[in-house]
Amino acid sequence: MDELLNFYRVSDLILTSGQPTPVQLAGLGSHGITAVVNLAMHDSANAVPEEGYIIASQGLAYVHIPVPFEQPAPCHLRQFFRVMDAFEGQRLLVHCALNMRVAVFMQRYLHLVKGVDETTASSPLLQQWLPVMEPCWRGIMALQLADLR
């Protein structure tokens, strides 16, 4: 798993990364992954068009929430929270193209839903991105639970 692009282990049950290759996707079941959540767009530069098939052929669940990098919206975050809650207790890989969308969404989920303090909920990649983060993503970082109802 460590060889995945921008890999970050949130916990024993939640792993995050950038886009896995087809070979990496095909091996996820052997790592105890039960579901994959993909936040990348269908047309991301490194997208794997057959990803859903590769995941399903291993008997794993697959959820695709396409989040446009230039226009993330509260509805995307709301949907992500529901998906994460639905898979609670299962071993997940949550990925996007580079693990940037995921870094923000995971931080908001851990902080707002799970009550983890903001710093602990953050990943090293998110910390690197924060100083130069685009305004649309700063808006997502500023959302509170009341904004998502």
Side-chain angles (χ1 to χ4, degrees), residues 5-87:
L5 176 66
N6 291 331
F7 177 76
Y8 181 70
R9 181 182 307 272
V10 175
S11 69
D12 287 339
L13 294 177
I14 302 174
L15 311 174
T16 68
S17 74
Q19 177 66 57
T21 66
V23 170
Q24 291 168 330
L25 289 167
L28 292 177
S30 66
H31 290 280
I33 301 295
T34 59
V36 174
V37 179
N38 177 2
L39 302 183
M41 297 297 290
H42 299 282
D43 59 355
S44 293
N46 57 353
V48 176
E50 65 278 9
E51 179 171 347
Y53 174 78
I54 294 170
I55 298 304
S57 69
Q58 297 171 75
L60 311 179
Y62 179 70
V63 177
H64 188 196
I65 306 170
V67 178
F69 193 80
E70 299 79 20
Q71 291 183 311
C75 64
H76 299 122
L77 192 59
R78 214 175 9 257
Q79 185 177 4
F80 178 74
F81 286 5
R82 286 194 299 266
V83 167
M84 293 302 292
D85 285 345
F87 287 113

Side-chain angles (χ1 to χ4, degrees), residues 6-7 21 30 47 57 68 74 85 87 93 102 105 108 114 120-121 124 129 135 149:
N6 291 331
F7 177 76
T21 66
S30 66
S57 69
D85 285 345
F87 287 113
L93 174 66
V102 171
F105 277 38
R108 298 319 294 154
K114 295 300 182 182
T120 304
W129 184 24
R149 294 198 166 100

